[in-house]
């Protein structure tokens, strides 16, 4: 890196400590995670990483679309939560699956049909549409969980 390039990107230097990072590095990730590149003085380095980008997750391709998931495998602290980012083609069906934890989802575009059964055998069917931060169409008795 030239001196100009070094000055244009964040560097792990504070109060005379640290040194320039000449690479290899991912500057976009450094810009998105400034406290990882230059931790606060109170950070002793014992808190595990609490995020993992779907962009870094394995992409599973199927005839009906694609899916990528982040689980405890990618983020060890996620012992009771996992996330799936998926795109289904019109008319595609997601595989039958089950798990102990509740599930939530955001529909960003289009609509879908959901059928679910909880551990007490109660079931519901819903057809949610895009909505920002709402559990649209989910049975109120199951939303309380």
């Amino acid at each position: 890196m030239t001196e100009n390039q070094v000055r244009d990107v964040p560097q792990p230097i504070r109060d005379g400590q640290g040194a320039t990072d000449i690479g290899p590095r991912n500057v976009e990730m450094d810009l998105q995670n400034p406290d990882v590149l230059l931790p606060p003085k109170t950070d002793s380095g014992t808190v595990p990483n609490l995020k993992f980008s779907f962009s870094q997750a394995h992409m599973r391709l199927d005839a009906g679309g694609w899916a990528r998931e982040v689980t405890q495998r990618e983020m060890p602290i996620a012992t009771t939560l996992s996330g799936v980012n998926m795109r289904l083609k019109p008319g595609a069906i997601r595989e039958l699956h089950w798990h102990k934890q509740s599930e939530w989802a955001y529909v960003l575009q289009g609509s879908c049909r959901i059928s679910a059964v909880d551990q007490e055998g109660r079931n519901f069917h819903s057809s949610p549409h895009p909505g920002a931060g709402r559990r649209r169409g989910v049975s109120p008795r199951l939303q309380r969980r």
Side-chain angles (χ1 to χ4, degrees):
M1 259 184 207
T2 68
E3 185 63 31
N4 284 340
Q5 288 172 319
V6 168
R7 281 183 286 174
D8 293 340
V9 297
Q11 296 296 328
I13 301 171
R14 179 183 46 237
D15 300 333
Q17 293 182 324
T20 58
D21 183 347
I22 59 172
R25 65 188 288 195
N26 184 329
V27 174
E28 287 299 317
M29 287 192 81
D30 289 343
L31 291 169
Q32 294 171 21
N33 302 284
D35 285 347
V36 174
L37 177 71
L38 188 60
K41 291 180 179 182
T42 56
D43 184 352
S44 62
T46 57
V47 176
N49 185 6
L50 301 176
K51 62 182 174 178
F52 186 93
S53 173
F54 279 118
S55 295
Q56 295 176 311
H58 171 75
M59 180 77 76
R60 187 183 79 219
L61 304 178
D62 291 312
W66 55 260
R68 50 190 172 186
E69 67 180 6
V70 175
T71 66
Q72 189 176 9
R73 176 184 61 235
E74 291 81 18
M75 195 165 58
I77 197 165
T79 59
T80 60
L81 176 73
S82 60
V84 177
N85 174 225
M86 70 172 30
R87 170 73 161 91
L88 297 175
K89 295 177 182 176
I93 299 173
R94 184 175 179 194
E95 78 279 2
L96 176 65
H97 67 283
W98 54 91
H99 36 77
K100 293 179 183 178
Q101 291 77 23
S102 298
E103 182 167 310
W104 55 268
Y106 288 100
V107 176
L108 300 177
Q109 183 178 5
S111 63
C112 62
R113 183 75 174 144
I114 298 173
S115 297
V117 180
D118 71 10
Q119 58 269 30
E120 280 90 38
R122 298 175 298 186
N123 62 69
F124 78 96
H125 304 281
S126 179
S127 298
H129 296 276
R134 293 178 58 201
R135 296 170 78 182
R136 296 179 75 164
V138 175
S139 167
R141 72 174 185 241
L142 294 179
Q143 282 189 21
R144 285 181 247 134
R145 297 190 174 274

